[in-house]
Coordinates of all heavy atoms in Angstrom, one line a residue:
M1 N 115.6 98.5 99.7 CA 115.8 99.9 100.2 C 115.0 99.9 101.6 O 113.8 99.5 101.6 CB 115.2 100.9 99.2 CG 115.3 102.3 99.7 SD 115.0 103.4 98.4 CE 116.3 103.1 97.3
D2 N 115.7 100.2 102.6 CA 115.1 100.2 104.0 C 114.5 98.8 104.3 O 113.5 98.7 105.0 CB 114.1 101.3 104.1 CG 114.6 102.7 104.1 OD1 115.7 102.9 104.6 OD2 114.0 103.5 103.4
G3 N 115.1 97.7 103.8 CA 114.6 96.4 104.0 C 113.6 95.9 103.1 O 113.1 94.8 103.2
N4 N 113.1 96.8 102.2 CA 112.0 96.4 101.3 C 112.6 96.3 99.9 O 113.7 96.7 99.6 CB 110.9 97.5 101.2 CG 110.2 97.7 102.5 OD1 109.7 96.8 103.1 ND2 110.2 98.9 103.0
L5 N 111.9 95.6 99.0 CA 112.3 95.5 97.6 C 111.8 96.9 97.0 O 110.6 97.2 97.2 CB 111.6 94.4 96.9 CG 112.0 94.2 95.5 CD1 113.3 93.5 95.3 CD2 110.9 93.4 94.7
H6 N 112.7 97.6 96.3 CA 112.3 98.8 95.7 C 112.2 98.7 94.2 O 113.2 98.2 93.5 CB 113.2 100.0 96.0 CG 112.8 101.3 95.5 ND1 111.8 102.0 96.2 CD2 113.2 102.0 94.4 CE1 111.6 103.1 95.4 NE2 112.4 103.1 94.4
L7 N 111.1 99.0 93.6 CA 110.9 98.9 92.1 C 111.3 100.3 91.5 O 110.7 101.3 91.8 CB 109.4 98.6 91.8 CG 109.1 98.6 90.3 CD1 109.9 97.6 89.6 CD2 107.6 98.3 90.2
E8 N 112.4 100.3 90.8 CA 112.9 101.5 90.2 C 112.0 102.0 89.0 O 111.7 103.1 88.9 CB 114.4 101.4 89.8 CG 115.0 102.6 89.2 CD 115.2 103.7 90.1 OE1 115.3 103.5 91.3 OE2 115.1 104.9 89.6
Q9 N 111.7 101.0 88.2 CA 110.9 101.4 87.0 C 110.3 100.1 86.4 O 110.9 99.1 86.4 CB 111.8 102.1 86.0 CG 111.0 102.5 84.8 CD 111.9 103.3 83.8 OE1 112.9 103.9 84.2 NE2 111.5 103.4 82.6
L10 N 109.1 100.3 85.9 CA 108.4 99.2 85.2 C 107.9 99.9 83.9 O 107.2 100.9 84.0 CB 107.3 98.6 86.0 CG 106.6 97.4 85.5 CD1 106.2 96.5 86.6 CD2 105.5 97.7 84.6
A11 N 108.3 99.4 82.8 CA 107.9 100.0 81.5 C 107.5 99.0 80.5 O 108.1 97.9 80.4 CB 108.9 100.9 81.0
V12 N 106.5 99.3 79.7 CA 106.0 98.5 78.6 C 106.1 99.4 77.4 O 105.6 100.5 77.4 CB 104.6 97.9 78.8 CG1 104.1 97.1 77.6 CG2 104.6 97.1 80.1
R13 N 106.6 98.8 76.3 CA 106.6 99.6 75.0 C 105.2 100.0 74.6 O 104.2 99.3 74.8 CB 107.2 98.8 73.9 CG 108.7 98.5 74.0 CD 109.2 97.7 72.9 NE 108.4 97.6 71.7 CZ 108.7 96.8 70.7 NH1 109.8 96.0 70.8 NH2 108.0 96.8 69.7
P14 N 105.0 101.3 74.2 CA 103.7 101.7 73.8 C 102.9 100.8 72.9 O 101.7 100.6 73.1 CB 103.9 103.1 73.2 CG 105.2 103.6 73.8 CD 106.0 102.3 74.0
D15 N 103.6 100.2 71.9 CA 102.9 99.3 71.0 C 102.5 98.0 71.6 O 101.8 97.2 71.0 CB 103.7 99.1 69.7 CG 105.0 98.4 69.9 OD1 105.6 98.6 71.0 OD2 105.5 97.7 69.0
R16 N 102.9 97.8 72.8 CA 102.6 96.5 73.6 C 101.7 96.7 74.8 O 101.4 95.8 75.5 CB 103.9 95.8 74.0 CG 104.8 95.4 72.9 CD 104.2 94.3 72.1 NE 105.2 93.9 71.1 CZ 104.9 93.1 70.1 NH1 103.7 92.7 69.9 NH2 105.8 92.8 69.2
M17 N 101.3 98.0 75.0 CA 100.4 98.3 76.1 C 99.0 97.6 76.0 O 98.6 97.3 74.9 CB 100.3 99.8 76.3 CG 101.6 100.5 76.7 SD 101.3 102.2 76.8 CE 102.1 102.6 78.4
R18 N 98.3 97.5 77.1 CA 97.0 97.0 77.1 C 96.9 95.5 76.7 O 95.9 95.1 76.2 CB 96.0 97.9 76.3 CG 96.2 99.3 76.6 CD 95.2 100.3 77.0 NE 93.9 99.8 77.4 CZ 93.4 99.8 78.6 NH1 94.2 100.2 79.6 NH2 92.2 99.4 78.9
Q19 N 98.0 94.8 77.0 CA 98.0 93.4 76.7 C 98.3 92.5 77.9 O 98.5 91.3 77.8 CB 99.0 93.0 75.6 CG 98.8 93.7 74.3 CD 99.8 93.4 73.3 OE1 100.5 92.4 73.3 NE2 100.0 94.4 72.3
G20 N 98.3 93.1 79.1 CA 98.5 92.4 80.3 C 100.0 92.3 80.7 O 100.3 91.6 81.7
I21 N 100.9 92.8 79.9 CA 102.3 92.6 80.1 C 102.8 93.3 81.4 O 103.5 92.7 82.2 CB 103.1 93.2 78.9 CG1 102.8 92.3 77.7 CG2 104.6 93.2 79.2 CD1 103.3 92.9 76.4
G22 N 102.3 94.5 81.6 CA 102.6 95.2 82.8 C 102.2 94.5 84.1 O 102.9 94.4 85.1
G23 N 100.9 94.0 84.0 CA 100.4 93.2 85.1 C 101.3 91.9 85.4 O 101.5 91.6 86.6
R24 N 101.7 91.3 84.4 CA 102.6 90.1 84.5 C 103.9 90.5 85.1 O 104.5 89.8 85.9 CB 102.7 89.3 83.2 CG 101.4 88.6 82.8 CD 101.5 87.6 81.7 NE 102.1 88.1 80.5 CZ 101.3 88.7 79.5 NH1 100.1 88.9 79.7 NH2 102.0 89.1 78.4
L25 N 104.5 91.6 84.6 CA 105.7 92.1 85.2 C 105.6 92.4 86.7 O 106.4 92.1 87.5 CB 106.2 93.3 84.4 CG 106.7 93.1 83.0 CD1 106.9 94.4 82.3 CD2 108.0 92.3 83.1
M26 N 104.4 93.1 87.0 CA 104.2 93.4 88.4 C 104.1 92.1 89.3 O 104.6 92.0 90.4 CB 103.0 94.3 88.6 CG 102.6 94.6 90.0 SD 104.0 95.4 90.9 CE 104.2 96.9 90.0
A27 N 103.4 91.1 88.7 CA 103.2 89.8 89.4 C 104.6 89.2 89.7 O 104.9 88.7 90.8 CB 102.4 88.9 88.7
A28 N 105.5 89.3 88.7 CA 106.9 88.8 88.9 C 107.6 89.5 90.0 O 108.3 88.9 90.8 CB 107.6 88.8 87.6
V29 N 107.5 90.8 90.0 CA 108.1 91.7 91.1 C 107.6 91.2 92.4 O 108.4 91.0 93.4 CB 107.9 93.2 90.8 CG1 108.3 94.0 92.0 CG2 108.6 93.6 89.6
L30 N 106.3 91.1 92.6 CA 105.7 90.7 93.9 C 106.1 89.3 94.3 O 106.4 89.0 95.4 CB 104.2 90.8 93.8 CG 103.7 92.3 93.6 CD1 102.2 92.3 93.3 CD2 104.0 93.1 94.8
D31 N 106.2 88.4 93.3 CA 106.6 87.0 93.6 C 108.1 87.0 94.0 O 108.4 86.3 95.0 CB 106.5 86.1 92.3 CG 105.1 85.8 91.9 OD1 104.2 86.0 92.8 OD2 104.9 85.3 90.8
H32 N 108.9 87.8 93.4 CA 110.3 87.9 93.8 C 110.4 88.5 95.2 O 111.2 88.0 96.0 CB 111.1 88.8 92.8 CG 112.5 89.0 93.2 ND1 113.4 88.0 93.2 CD2 113.2 90.1 93.7 CE1 114.6 88.4 93.6 NE2 114.5 89.7 93.9
A33 N 109.6 89.5 95.5 CA 109.6 90.1 96.8 C 109.3 89.1 97.9 O 109.9 89.0 98.9 CB 108.7 91.3 96.9
A34 N 108.2 88.3 97.6 CA 107.8 87.3 98.6 C 108.8 86.2 98.8 O 109.1 85.8 99.9 CB 106.4 86.7 98.1
A35 N 109.4 85.8 97.6 CA 110.4 84.7 97.7 C 111.7 85.2 98.4 O 112.3 84.4 99.1 CB 110.8 84.3 96.3
S36 N 112.0 86.5 98.4 CA 113.2 87.0 99.0 C 113.0 87.4 100.5 O 113.8 87.8 101.2 CB 113.8 88.1 98.2 OG 112.9 89.2 98.2
G37 N 111.7 87.3 100.9 CA 111.3 87.7 102.2 C 111.2 89.2 102.5 O 111.1 89.6 103.6
A38 N 111.1 90.0 101.4 CA 110.9 91.4 101.6 C 109.5 91.7 102.2 O 108.5 91.1 101.7 CB 111.1 92.1 100.3
P39 N 109.4 92.5 103.2 CA 108.1 92.8 103.8 C 107.2 93.6 102.9 O 105.9 93.6 103.0 CB 108.4 93.5 105.1 CG 109.7 94.1 104.9 CD 110.5 93.2 103.9
A40 N 107.8 94.4 101.9 CA 107.0 95.2 101.1 C 107.7 95.6 99.8 O 109.0 95.4 99.8 CB 106.6 96.5 101.8
V41 N 107.0 96.1 98.8 CA 107.6 96.7 97.6 C 107.3 98.1 97.7 O 106.2 98.5 97.9 CB 107.0 96.0 96.3 CG1 107.6 96.7 95.1 CG2 107.3 94.5 96.3
T42 N 108.3 99.0 97.4 CA 108.1 100.4 97.4 C 108.5 100.9 96.0 O 109.2 100.2 95.2 CB 109.0 101.1 98.4 OG1 110.4 100.8 98.2 CG2 108.7 100.7 99.8
L43 N 108.0 102.1 95.7 CA 108.3 102.8 94.4 C 108.0 104.2 94.6 O 107.2 104.6 95.5 CB 107.5 102.1 93.3 CG 106.0 102.1 93.4 CD1 105.4 103.4 92.7 CD2 105.4 100.9 92.7
T44 N 108.5 105.0 93.7 CA 108.1 106.4 93.5 C 107.6 106.6 92.1 O 108.0 106.0 91.2 CB 109.3 107.4 93.8 OG1 110.3 107.2 92.8 CG2 109.9 107.2 95.2
T45 N 106.5 107.5 92.0 CA 105.9 107.6 90.7 C 105.1 108.9 90.7 O 104.9 109.6 91.7 CB 105.0 106.4 90.5 OG1 104.6 106.4 89.1 CG2 103.7 106.4 91.3
F46 N 104.7 109.3 89.5 CA 103.9 110.5 89.3 C 102.5 110.2 89.8 O 101.9 109.2 89.5 CB 103.9 111.0 87.9 CG 105.2 111.5 87.4 CD1 105.9 110.8 86.5 CD2 105.6 112.7 87.9 CE1 107.2 111.3 86.1 CE2 106.9 113.2 87.5 CZ 107.7 112.5 86.6
R47 N 101.9 111.1 90.6 CA 100.7 110.9 91.2 C 99.5 110.9 90.3 O 98.6 110.1 90.4 CB 100.4 112.0 92.3 CG 99.1 111.9 93.0 CD 98.9 113.1 93.9 NE 98.6 114.3 93.1 CZ 98.7 115.5 93.4 NH1 99.1 115.8 94.7 NH2 98.4 116.5 92.6
D48 N 99.5 111.8 89.3 CA 98.3 112.0 88.4 C 98.4 111.5 87.0 O 97.4 111.6 86.3 CB 98.0 113.5 88.3 CG 97.8 114.1 89.8 OD1 97.1 113.4 90.6 OD2 98.2 115.2 90.0
V49 N 99.5 110.8 86.7 CA 99.6 110.2 85.3 C 98.9 108.9 85.3 O 99.2 108.1 86.2 CB 101.1 110.1 84.9 CG1 101.2 109.4 83.6 CG2 101.8 111.4 84.9
P50 N 97.9 108.7 84.4 CA 97.1 107.5 84.5 C 97.8 106.2 84.6 O 97.4 105.2 85.2 CB 96.2 107.6 83.3 CG 96.2 109.0 82.9 CD 97.5 109.6 83.4
W51 N 98.9 106.1 83.8 CA 99.7 104.8 83.8 C 100.8 104.8 84.9 O 101.6 103.9 84.9 CB 100.3 104.5 82.5 CG 101.1 105.6 82.0 CD1 102.5 105.8 82.1 CD2 100.7 106.7 81.1 NE1 102.9 106.9 81.5 CE2 101.8 107.5 80.9 CE3 99.4 107.1 80.6 CZ2 101.7 108.7 80.1 CZ3 99.4 108.2 79.8 CH2 100.5 109.0 79.6
N52 N 100.7 105.7 85.9 CA 101.6 105.7 87.0 C 100.8 105.4 88.3 O 100.3 104.3 88.4 CB 102.3 107.1 87.1 CG 103.5 107.2 86.1 OD1 104.4 108.0 86.3 ND2 103.5 106.4 85.0
A53 N 100.7 106.3 89.2 CA 100.0 106.0 90.5 C 98.7 105.4 90.4 O 98.4 104.4 91.1 CB 100.0 107.3 91.4
P54 N 97.8 105.9 89.5 CA 96.5 105.1 89.4 C 96.6 103.7 88.9 O 95.9 102.8 89.4 CB 95.7 105.9 88.3 CG 96.3 107.4 88.5 CD 97.8 107.1 88.7
W55 N 97.6 103.4 88.1 CA 97.8 102.0 87.6 C 98.3 101.2 88.8 O 97.8 100.0 89.0 CB 98.8 102.0 86.5 CG 99.0 100.6 85.9 CD1 98.3 100.1 84.9 CD2 100.0 99.6 86.3 NE1 98.7 98.8 84.6 CE2 99.8 98.5 85.4 CE3 101.0 99.6 87.2 CZ2 100.5 97.4 85.5 CZ3 101.7 98.4 87.3 CH2 101.5 97.3 86.5
Y56 N 99.3 101.7 89.6 CA 99.8 101.0 90.7 C 98.7 100.8 91.8 O 98.6 99.7 92.4 CB 101.0 101.7 91.3 CG 102.2 101.6 90.5 CD1 102.7 102.7 89.8 CD2 102.9 100.4 90.3 CE1 103.9 102.6 89.1 CE2 104.0 100.3 89.5 CZ 104.5 101.4 88.9 OH 105.6 101.3 88.1
E57 N 97.8 101.7 92.0 CA 96.7 101.6 92.9 C 95.8 100.4 92.5 O 95.3 99.6 93.3 CB 95.9 102.8 93.0 CG 96.6 103.9 93.8 CD 95.8 105.3 93.8 OE1 94.9 105.5 92.9 OE2 96.1 106.1 94.7
R58 N 95.5 100.3 91.2 CA 94.7 99.2 90.7 C 95.4 97.8 90.9 O 94.8 96.8 90.9 CB 94.4 99.4 89.2 CG 93.4 100.5 88.9 CD 92.9 100.5 87.5 NE 93.9 100.6 86.5 CZ 94.4 101.7 86.0 NH1 94.0 102.9 86.6 NH2 95.3 101.7 85.1
H59 N 96.7 97.9 91.2 CA 97.5 96.6 91.5 C 97.8 96.5 93.0 O 98.8 95.8 93.3 CB 98.7 96.6 90.6 CG 98.4 96.3 89.1 ND1 98.0 97.3 88.2 CD2 98.3 95.1 88.5 CE1 97.8 96.7 87.1 NE2 97.9 95.4 87.2
G60 N 97.1 97.2 93.8 CA 97.1 97.0 95.2 C 98.1 97.9 96.0 O 98.3 97.7 97.2
F61 N 98.7 98.8 95.3 CA 99.6 99.7 96.0 C 98.9 100.9 96.6 O 97.8 101.3 96.1 CB 100.7 100.3 95.0 CG 101.8 99.4 94.7 CD1 101.6 98.3 93.8 CD2 103.0 99.5 95.3 CE1 102.6 97.4 93.4 CE2 104.0 98.6 95.0 CZ 103.8 97.5 94.1
S62 N 99.4 101.5 97.6 CA 98.8 102.7 98.2 C 99.9 103.6 98.6 O 101.1 103.3 98.7 CB 98.0 102.3 99.5 OG 98.9 101.7 100.4
V63 N 99.5 104.9 98.7 CA 100.5 106.0 99.0 C 101.1 105.7 100.4 O 100.3 105.4 101.4 CB 99.8 107.3 98.9 CG1 100.8 108.4 99.4 CG2 99.4 107.6 97.5
L64 N 102.3 105.8 100.6 CA 103.0 105.7 101.8 C 103.3 107.1 102.4 O 104.0 107.9 101.8 CB 104.4 104.9 101.6 CG 105.1 104.6 102.9 CD1 104.4 103.6 103.8 CD2 106.5 103.9 102.5
A65 N 102.7 107.3 103.5 CA 102.9 108.7 104.2 C 104.4 108.9 104.5 O 105.1 108.0 104.8 CB 102.1 108.7 105.5
E66 N 104.8 110.2 104.4 CA 106.2 110.6 104.5 C 106.7 110.2 105.9 O 107.9 109.8 106.0 CB 106.3 112.1 104.3 CG 107.8 112.5 104.3 CD 107.9 114.0 103.9 OE1 107.0 114.6 103.4 OE2 109.1 114.5 104.1
E67 N 105.9 110.2 106.9 CA 106.4 109.7 108.2 C 106.8 108.3 108.2 O 107.6 107.9 109.1 CB 105.2 109.9 109.3 CG 104.5 111.2 109.4 CD 103.4 111.3 108.3 OE1 102.4 110.6 108.3 OE2 103.6 112.2 107.5
A68 N 106.4 107.5 107.3 CA 106.7 106.1 107.3 C 107.9 105.8 106.4 O 108.4 104.6 106.3 CB 105.5 105.3 106.8
W69 N 108.5 106.8 105.7 CA 109.6 106.6 104.9 C 110.8 106.3 105.7 O 111.1 107.0 106.7 CB 109.9 107.8 104.0 CG 108.9 108.2 103.1 CD1 107.7 107.6 102.8 CD2 108.9 109.4 102.3 NE1 107.0 108.3 101.9 CE2 107.7 109.4 101.6 CE3 109.8 110.4 102.1 CZ2 107.4 110.5 100.7 CZ3 109.5 111.4 101.2 CH2 108.3 111.5 100.5
G70 N 111.6 105.3 105.3 CA 112.9 105.1 106.0 C 114.0 106.0 105.4 O 113.7 106.7 104.5
P71 N 115.2 106.0 106.0 CA 116.2 106.9 105.6 C 116.7 106.7 104.2 O 117.0 107.7 103.5 CB 117.4 106.7 106.6 CG 117.1 105.3 107.2 CD 115.6 105.1 107.1
E72 N 116.7 105.5 103.7 CA 117.1 105.3 102.3 C 116.1 105.8 101.3 O 116.4 106.4 100.3 CB 117.4 103.8 102.0 CG 118.6 103.3 102.8 CD 118.8 101.8 102.7 OE1 117.8 101.1 102.3 OE2 119.9 101.3 103.0
L73 N 114.8 105.6 101.6 CA 113.7 106.0 100.7 C 113.7 107.6 100.8 O 113.5 108.2 99.7 CB 112.4 105.4 101.2 CG 111.2 105.6 100.3 CD1 111.5 105.1 98.9 CD2 110.0 104.8 100.8
R74 N 113.9 108.1 101.9 CA 113.9 109.6 102.1 C 115.0 110.2 101.2 O 114.9 111.2 100.5 CB 114.1 109.9 103.6 CG 113.8 111.4 103.9 CD 113.8 111.6 105.4 NE 112.8 110.8 106.1 CZ 111.5 111.1 106.1 NH1 111.0 112.2 105.5 NH2 110.6 110.3 106.7
A75 N 116.2 109.5 101.3 CA 117.3 110.0 100.4 C 117.1 109.9 98.9 O 117.4 110.8 98.2 CB 118.6 109.2 100.8
L76 N 116.4 108.8 98.5 CA 116.0 108.7 97.2 C 115.1 109.8 96.7 O 115.3 110.4 95.6 CB 115.4 107.3 96.9 CG 114.8 107.1 95.5 CD1 116.0 107.1 94.5 CD2 114.0 105.8 95.4
V77 N 114.0 110.1 97.4 CA 113.1 111.2 97.1 C 113.9 112.5 97.0 O 113.7 113.2 96.1 CB 112.0 111.2 98.1 CG1 111.1 112.5 97.9 CG2 111.1 110.0 98.0
R78 N 114.8 112.7 97.9 CA 115.5 114.0 97.9 C 116.4 114.0 96.6 O 116.5 115.0 95.9 CB 116.4 114.1 99.1 CG 117.1 115.4 99.3 CD 117.8 115.5 100.7 NE 118.4 114.3 101.3 CZ 117.8 113.6 102.3 NH1 116.6 114.1 102.9 NH2 118.3 112.6 102.8
Q79 N 117.0 112.9 96.3 CA 117.9 112.8 95.1 C 117.0 113.0 93.8 O 117.4 113.8 92.9 CB 118.6 111.4 95.0 CG 119.4 111.3 93.7 CD 120.0 109.9 93.6 OE1 119.5 108.9 94.2 NE2 121.0 109.8 92.8
E80 N 115.8 112.5 93.7 CA 114.9 112.7 92.6 C 114.6 114.2 92.5 O 114.6 114.7 91.4 CB 113.6 111.9 92.7 CG 113.8 110.4 92.5 CD 112.5 109.6 92.7 OE1 111.5 110.2 93.0 OE2 112.5 108.4 92.3
R81 N 114.3 114.8 93.6 CA 114.0 116.2 93.5 C 115.2 117.1 93.1 O 115.1 118.0 92.3 CB 113.5 116.7 94.9 CG 112.1 116.2 95.3 CD 111.7 116.6 96.6 NE 110.3 116.0 96.9 CZ 109.8 115.8 98.1 NH1 110.6 116.1 99.2 NH2 108.6 115.2 98.2
D82 N 116.4 116.7 93.6 CA 117.6 117.4 93.2 C 117.9 117.3 91.8 O 118.4 118.2 91.1 CB 118.8 116.9 94.0 CG 118.8 117.3 95.5 OD1 117.9 118.2 95.9 OD2 119.5 116.8 96.3
L83 N 117.5 116.1 91.2 CA 117.8 115.9 89.7 C 116.7 116.5 88.9 O 116.8 116.4 87.6 CB 117.8 114.3 89.5 CG 119.0 113.6 90.0 CD1 118.8 112.1 89.9 CD2 120.3 114.1 89.4
G84 N 115.6 117.0 89.5 CA 114.6 117.7 88.7 C 113.5 116.7 88.2 O 112.8 117.1 87.3
I85 N 113.5 115.5 88.7 CA 112.5 114.5 88.3 C 111.1 115.0 88.7 O 110.1 114.7 88.0 CB 112.8 113.1 88.8 CG1 114.1 112.7 88.2 CG2 111.7 112.2 88.6 CD1 114.7 111.4 88.8
E86 N 111.0 115.7 89.7 CA 109.6 116.1 90.2 C 109.1 117.3 89.4 O 108.9 118.4 90.0 CB 109.7 116.4 91.7 CG 108.3 116.5 92.4 CD 108.4 116.4 93.9 OE1 109.3 116.9 94.5 OE2 107.4 115.9 94.4
V87 N 108.8 117.0 88.2 CA 108.2 118.1 87.3 C 106.7 118.1 87.5 O 106.0 119.1 87.1 CB 108.5 117.9 85.8 CG1 110.1 118.0 85.6 CG2 108.0 116.5 85.4
A88 N 106.1 117.1 88.1 CA 104.7 117.0 88.5 C 104.7 116.3 89.8 O 105.7 115.7 90.2 CB 104.0 116.3 87.4
P89 N 103.6 116.4 90.6 CA 103.5 115.8 91.9 C 103.8 114.3 91.9 O 103.3 113.6 91.0 CB 102.1 116.0 92.3 CG 101.6 117.2 91.6 CD 102.3 117.1 90.2
R90 N 104.7 113.9 92.8 CA 105.1 112.5 92.9 C 104.7 112.0 94.2 O 104.5 112.7 95.2 CB 106.6 112.3 92.7 CG 107.0 112.6 91.2 CD 108.5 112.4 91.0 NE 109.0 111.1 91.2 CZ 108.9 110.1 90.3 NH1 108.3 110.3 89.1 NH2 109.5 108.9 90.5
V91 N 104.6 110.7 94.3 CA 104.2 110.0 95.5 C 105.1 108.8 95.7 O 105.7 108.2 94.8 CB 102.7 109.5 95.6 CG1 101.8 110.7 95.6 CG2 102.4 108.6 94.4
V92 N 105.2 108.4 97.0 CA 105.9 107.1 97.3 C 104.7 106.1 97.6 O 103.8 106.5 98.3 CB 106.8 107.3 98.6 CG1 107.3 105.9 99.0 CG2 107.9 108.2 98.3
M93 N 104.9 104.9 97.0 CA 103.8 104.0 97.2 C 104.4 102.7 97.7 O 105.6 102.4 97.6 CB 103.1 103.7 95.9 CG 102.5 105.0 95.3 SD 101.5 104.7 93.8 CE 99.9 104.1 94.5
H94 N 103.6 101.8 98.3 CA 104.0 100.5 98.8 C 102.9 99.5 98.7 O 101.7 99.8 98.6 CB 104.6 100.7 100.2 CG 103.5 100.9 101.3 ND1 103.2 99.9 102.2 CD2 102.6 101.8 101.4 CE1 102.2 100.4 103.0 NE2 101.8 101.5 102.5
R95 N 103.4 98.2 98.8 CA 102.4 97.1 98.8 C 103.1 95.9 99.4 O 104.3 95.7 99.2 CB 101.9 96.8 97.4 CG 101.0 95.6 97.4 CD 100.8 95.0 96.1 NE 100.3 93.7 96.3 CZ 99.7 93.0 95.4 NH1 99.4 93.5 94.2 NH2 99.3 91.7 95.6
T96 N 102.4 95.1 100.2 CA 103.0 93.9 100.7 C 102.9 92.9 99.5 O 101.9 92.9 98.8 CB 102.3 93.4 101.9 OG1 100.9 93.3 101.7 CG2 102.4 94.3 103.1
P97 N 103.9 92.0 99.5 CA 103.8 91.0 98.4 C 102.7 89.9 98.5 O 102.1 89.8 99.6 CB 105.2 90.3 98.4 CG 105.9 90.8 99.6 CD 105.1 91.9 100.2

């Protein structure tokens, strides 16, 4: 998306949480981004849910200011809002691989 690798969703079954599976999945995403030459990985997530934005922050992601969103990312955020996904504050995040 906008030249970056976009992570649509990363999920671990509740009975498998806290075993490092999410971290290994994230490492695989970052490895794939680096191997494919993507300059960054982007994602949208809930800002205040502990296993959403705070989890991604612990894995090196930071909030991407709206001024830095490309047209495809901007369209995705608009689509999420139109679908009603934004039931709580959401953020766009990014990280270099």
Side-chain angles (χ1 to χ4, degrees):
M1 185 166 295
D2 295 319
N4 298 307
L5 183 81
H6 185 78
L7 176 60
E8 180 65 30
Q9 182 172 338
L10 188 149
V12 176
R13 290 180 17 187
D15 64 328
R16 299 292 185 190
M17 292 175 133
R18 314 231 15 106
Q19 298 178 28
I21 296 168
R24 290 193 302 276
L25 288 169
M26 180 53 65
V29 168
L30 295 169
D31 288 347
H32 178 70
S36 66
V41 176
T42 60
L43 58 92
T44 63
T45 193
F46 292 108
R47 183 186 69 200
D48 300 321
V49 177
W51 54 88
N52 281 202
W55 187 88
Y56 289 112
E57 286 174 343
R58 289 192 301 276
H59 287 84
F61 282 78
S62 60
V63 173
L64 184 63
E66 188 171 348
E67 311 80 65
W69 301 355
E72 294 174 340
L73 194 52
R74 192 170 301 282
L76 174 67
V77 170
R78 188 170 34 256
Q79 179 185 22
E80 287 181 353
R81 289 177 181 156
D82 291 346
L83 291 172
I85 293 172
E86 194 167 31
V87 295
R90 289 181 65 80
V91 291
V92 174
M93 302 183 84
H94 73 118
R95 177 191 160 164
T96 57

